[in-house]
Amino acid sequence: MARNAHPEATRQRILDAARKLFAKHGYERTSIQDIINELGDLSKGAIYHHFPNKAAILDALTEADTAQVNAALPLDDDSLSGLQKIRHWMLATVANREHMLLLRDAFPLLNDPKMLSENLKYWRTTNASMFRQCIEDGIKDGSISTQYPREASELLALLSNYWLAPMFYPATAAELKHRVRCLLTMLAAIGLPLFDLDSPEVNTLAEGIALLGAEPEHRTEP
Amino acid sequence: MARNAHPEATRQRILDAARKLFAKHGYERTSIQDIINELGDLSKGAIYHHFPNKAAILDALTEADTAQVNAALPLDDDSLSGLQKIRHWMLATVANREHMLLLRDAFPLLNDPKMLSENLKYWRTTNASMFRQCIEDGIKDGSISTQYPREASELLALLSNYWLAPMFYPATAAELKHRVRCLLTMLAAIGLPLFDLDSPEVNTLAEGIALLGAEPEHRTEP
């Protein structure tokens, strides 16, 4: 008897079941046993064959999720200017409530120094490059005029992922709004006018980011 | 026979000898055996009793050094305005060549995720609080007028320690100068006008920070 003819399919089924349960009950309240029960036909051993622990499932989910969110970005949409691409990107990310809650649940993984160090590297390199592409597009199409394309890209990636995150810099919703305004003011000063300080987008961003600091209890329905 | 009546004194002797050798030959070219030879009367075992490895000696040195640099800060100098305190602090730090070279030698330790994670925490908390104190002083004495005292403190600590560092964000001396100008422009926009973009201090800062990225070979004399 073949052990498992479709390991990738099994892995994906585990992820799908976990995503459903995490979304419904929250990460903390979901156990590996719950995932087994949800799947119905897999043993605990089969799950541990794919993932060493529950945290690894969450990590794989957020990775897949980030890849999916990034793939949906309008980076290649020629109907948008470079500046509009960054605006859409930021708004689309925070508007994706399920993604933000998954990120929120994944944040405690960053207490692990190795995971944090890998994320910082991702923000310094890959993530900064994606912003850089939008900024270069914006410089070409005239929507952005900055002397600091590289610096703005690095700071967008670092500050939006790390400094805005209430897990690292604890903040109330009102404090997050102030922090977003501060970031927008600084970016405008170096030639990247993303949103007006009084625009509704400031609230959208702050409220989306606040989800990252929300207590898991607030969303769980028993 | 007493094993060691003065363990603290021995520890300090090891640190003093190591500092001398690191400064003279560089961290990489100094071995534990060199330190033993320099001290003359200590066994390898005696050194390992105090420090598990050479990296731990460097770590203890930079910690002591940072404490010393911070203690020399003009935080309590009432003859300076809050804004001047921050200016003096930044210039005094980069002007201390031995300190910068020690920091440079210590930077590879931050490849260790645990050390990096502890440093990030220090920058988020203790270091940000020190900048905050200067900013609050400046608001009281009228030298600083900002709506973003907390944000400016957090960003000064994060960006000056992490983003400006060529180990994390590789840069030539010219690129560092541009990066410093970018930071000064952003800080001015949120009410913290540290230095004019055309002032000689921009060069002083950039050249000091460039030491952090200098190859150890460039300072070593055989």
Side-chain angles (χ1 to χ4, degrees):
Chain A
M1 190 175 104
R3 283 248 187 147
N4 186 342
H6 308 288
E8 271 312 307
T10 303
R11 187 174 186 279
Q12 192 55 50
R13 283 188 60 218
I14 298 169
L15 289 176
D16 291 343
R19 178 189 297 274
K20 182 178 157 189
L21 293 171
F22 291 171
K24 194 167 169 192
H25 306 296
Y27 172 73
E28 286 302 335
R29 294 204 194 175
T30 302
S31 67
I32 290 276
Q33 188 58 50
D34 292 333
I35 300 173
I36 294 169
N37 296 346
E38 175 73 20
L39 286 163
D41 61 349
L42 279 186
S43 67
K44 201 167 250 189
I47 295 202
Y48 285 118
H49 173 74
H50 289 278
F51 299 100
N53 50 45
K54 198 174 70 162
I57 299 179
L58 181 59
D59 191 35
L61 274 180
T62 51
E63 205 170 287
D65 218 54
T66 299
Q68 198 186 0
V69 167
N70 287 348
L73 291 178
L75 296 185
D76 297 318
D77 182 345
D78 289 338
S79 74
L80 296 176
S81 72
L83 187 62
Q84 284 171 324
K85 285 177 190 173
I86 301 177
R87 287 178 178 154
H88 281 233
W89 183 0
M90 297 185 80
L91 292 174
T93 305
V94 298
N96 189 332
R97 188 181 164 86
E98 279 310 309
H99 175 64
M100 295 304 277
L101 291 175
L102 202 63
L103 274 186
R104 188 272 316 271
D105 286 346
F107 258 124
L109 297 183
L110 297 184
N111 285 327
D112 176 70
K114 196 162 166 48
M115 298 272 305
L116 176 59
S117 151
E118 276 169 18
N119 271 269
L120 285 162
K121 192 175 175 192
Y122 174 81
W123 299 332
R124 283 200 304 269
T125 55
T126 315
N127 198 228
S129 298
M130 295 168 74
F131 281 116
R132 181 72 182 263
Q133 191 196 319
C134 297
I135 291 178
E136 296 295 344
D137 288 350
I139 291 172
K140 275 190 212 119
D141 66 35
S143 63
I144 295 174
S145 171
T146 177
Q147 290 181 278
Y148 301 106
R150 175 180 165 186
E151 291 75 11
S153 317
E154 290 171 352
L155 291 165
L156 263 170
L158 172 63
L159 298 180
S160 66
N161 285 292
Y162 179 70
W163 180 57
L164 288 186
M167 181 217 167
F168 296 112
Y169 290 88
T172 65
E175 288 167 340
L176 279 174
K177 206 165 142 180
H178 202 61
R179 195 180 288 170
V180 167
R181 286 209 172 103
C182 179
L183 180 59
L184 294 175
T185 303
M186 293 192 306
L187 291 173
I190 59 168
L192 208 63
L194 284 183
F195 302 106
D196 284 341
L197 297 198
D198 299 318
S199 66
E201 283 85 356
V202 171
N203 285 331
T204 309
L205 290 173
E207 282 159 20
I209 295 161
L211 287 176
L212 297 176
E215 291 296 324
E217 286 71 26
H218 292 174
R219 71 187 261 248
T220 308
E221 289 149 39
Chain B
M1 191 174 105
R3 283 248 186 146
N4 185 342
H6 307 287
E8 271 311 308
T10 303
R11 188 174 187 279
Q12 192 54 49
R13 283 187 61 217
I14 297 169
L15 290 176
D16 291 343
R19 179 190 296 274
K20 183 178 157 189
L21 293 171
F22 291 170
K24 194 167 169 192
H25 305 297
Y27 171 75
E28 286 302 334
R29 294 204 195 175
T30 302
S31 67
I32 290 276
Q33 188 58 50
D34 293 332
I35 300 174
I36 293 169
N37 295 346
E38 174 73 20
L39 286 164
D41 60 349
L42 280 185
S43 68
K44 202 167 248 189
I47 295 202
Y48 284 119
H49 173 73
H50 289 277
F51 299 100
N53 49 45
K54 196 174 71 159
I57 299 180
L58 181 59
D59 191 34
L61 275 180
T62 51
E63 203 170 287
D65 218 53
T66 300
Q68 198 186 359
V69 167
N70 286 348
L73 291 180
L75 295 185
D76 297 319
D77 182 344
D78 289 338
S79 73
L80 297 175
S81 72
L83 187 61
Q84 284 171 324
K85 285 177 190 174
I86 301 177
R87 287 178 178 154
H88 281 234
W89 182 2
M90 297 185 79
L91 292 175
T93 304
V94 299
N96 189 332
R97 190 182 162 86
E98 277 311 309
H99 175 64
M100 294 304 277
L101 290 175
L102 202 63
L103 274 185
R104 188 272 317 270
D105 286 345
F107 257 123
L109 297 183
L110 297 184
N111 284 326
D112 176 69
K114 196 161 166 49
M115 297 272 305
L116 175 59
S117 155
E118 277 170 19
N119 272 268
L120 286 161
K121 192 176 173 190
Y122 173 81
W123 300 332
R124 285 200 303 270
T125 54
T126 315
N127 198 227
S129 297
M130 294 169 74
F131 280 116
R132 180 72 182 263
Q133 189 195 318
C134 299
I135 291 178
E136 295 296 342
D137 288 350
I139 291 172
K140 276 191 210 115
D141 66 35
S143 63
I144 295 173
S145 172
T146 177
Q147 291 182 276
Y148 301 107
R150 175 181 165 184
E151 291 75 11
S153 318
E154 290 170 354
L155 290 165
L156 263 171
L158 172 63
L159 299 179
S160 65
N161 284 292
Y162 179 70
W163 182 57
L164 289 186
M167 181 218 169
F168 296 112
Y169 290 88
T172 64
E175 287 167 340
L176 279 175
K177 205 165 144 181
H178 202 60
R179 194 180 289 170
V180 166
R181 286 210 171 104
C182 179
L183 180 59
L184 294 175
T185 303
M186 293 193 304
L187 291 173
I190 59 169
L192 207 63
L194 284 182
F195 302 107
D196 284 341
L197 296 198
D198 298 319
S199 66
E201 284 85 357
V202 171
N203 284 332
T204 308
L205 289 173
E207 283 159 19
I209 296 161
L211 288 176
L212 297 176
E215 291 297 324
E217 287 71 27
H218 292 173
R219 69 187 264 246
T220 307
E221 291 148 36

